Amino acid sequence: MPMAPAPAMTTTQHPVISMLLYFTQRPVISMLVFFILTTTTPLFFNAHASSSSSPSSSSSLVEGVCHESQNYSFCIQAMHSDPRTSTAETHMDLAVIAIELGISNSTGTLNYITRMYRSPKADPRHQSALKGCLWGYEGAVSSFKSALMELEVDPLTANYDAKVAGDGAVYCSDCMDSAGLTDSYISDGNFFASSFSNIAFVITNYLG
C-alpha cells in the first residue's frame, strides 16, 4: 500500500531483527537469544522437561508444528532459539515456549512504543498512531499472558487467546499506515508478534 511521506526511518533495530534478515544468504545469528536473556519478563522452565529426551523426537515435534505455521523458516529459527526446545517432549512444552517468546517480544515492543509516545520530541502528527499501537500491544501482551495461564486448565480458551494476540500487531500496523508513520522497530515487532501468535495458535490446536 503506498504510504504518505514520512520522516526517515529510525536506526533503532528490534532486538530480534537478526532472526529475520528477510532470510537472505547471510548467517542468521539469533539476537532473540540475547533478548530472552536480557528481558525483564521472567521465563520459567518446565519442571517436567527431561534433559534426556531425544533430540530427534523434539525436532520432529517442532518440524510438524512449523510446517503448519504461516512462516516455516521463522518458526524453526524462533523455536530453536530457545534452549528448552531441544528437550521439549510434548506440544504443551512447545506451547509454553512459543507463548513466552510472544510475551517477551510484545512487551519489548510495547515498552518501546510507550517511550516513543511519551517523548517530548514525538511528532504530534503520529501521536494518534502511537496511541493506537499502545492499545494494540497492551491487548497483545494481555492475550499472550492469558493464553499461558489457561494452557492446562482451559486449552480451548488458550487457543483462542493465542490467536487474537496477533490482532494488536495488525491494528498497530494499520494505524501506522493511516498516519504515514514509518518505524522499523515497531514494524519488526508487528511481524514477530503476529508470527508468535500464529505459532502458538498452531501448537495449542493440539491441546484441545
Side-chain angles (χ1 to χ4, degrees):
M1 174 188 300
M3 298 179 65
M9 293 177 68
T10 177
T11 56
T12 305
Q13 280 195 335
H14 198 280
V16 287
I17 184 59
S18 64
M19 189 182 216
L20 228 177
L21 291 181
Y22 301 103
F23 306 108
T24 64
Q25 296 303 310
R26 291 175 291 171
V28 178
I29 301 184
S30 178
M31 287 295 289
L32 183 57
V33 176
F34 170 80
F35 187 45
I36 294 170
L37 294 176
T38 58
T39 181
T40 55
T41 304
L43 298 179
F44 61 88
F45 287 73
N46 292 325
H48 65 276
S50 170
S51 60
S52 62
S53 66
S54 168
S56 61
S57 175
S58 171
S59 296
S60 296
L61 202 63
V62 176
E63 283 281 339
V65 166
C66 290
H67 273 300
E68 294 183 42
S69 71
Q70 293 176 345
N71 191 318
Y72 174 81
S73 297
F74 177 87
C75 178
I76 289 292
Q77 294 178 67
M79 294 305 294
H80 283 295
S81 72
D82 192 302
R84 293 172 293 174
T85 298
S86 64
T87 57
E89 299 178 332
T90 66
H91 284 100
M92 180 65 75
D93 293 338
L94 292 184
V96 171
I97 294 169
I99 293 173
E100 286 185 344
L101 289 174
I103 292 173
S104 297
N105 170 80
S106 298
T107 299
T109 305
L110 174 61
N111 291 340
Y112 174 85
I113 296 170
T114 299
R115 291 192 298 271
M116 193 173 178
Y117 179 72
R118 294 177 178 174
S119 172
K121 298 180 180 180
D123 189 331
R125 296 172 299 174
H126 297 153
Q127 288 299 86
S128 61
L130 292 173
K131 187 174 183 179
C133 285
L134 278 176
W135 182 85
Y137 271 91
E138 285 171 353
V141 173
S142 177
S143 293
F144 274 127
K145 288 183 175 180
S146 293
L148 184 63
M149 292 187 294
E150 295 156 351
L151 280 176
E152 294 189 6
V153 296
D154 191 352
L156 289 178
T157 301
N159 177 251
Y160 171 80
D161 281 326
K163 183 176 183 179
V164 300
D167 292 348
V170 174
Y171 181 72
C172 177
S173 180
D174 290 342
C175 289
M176 292 174 69
D177 288 344
S178 296
L181 171 60
T182 302
D183 186 285
S184 61
Y185 189 106
I186 301 177
S187 295
D188 292 336
N190 290 340
F191 172 81
F192 297 130
S194 296
S195 297
F196 285 126
S197 170
N198 172 250
I199 294 169
F201 174 69
V202 170
I203 298 172
T204 52
N205 272 331
Y206 287 92
L207 305 181

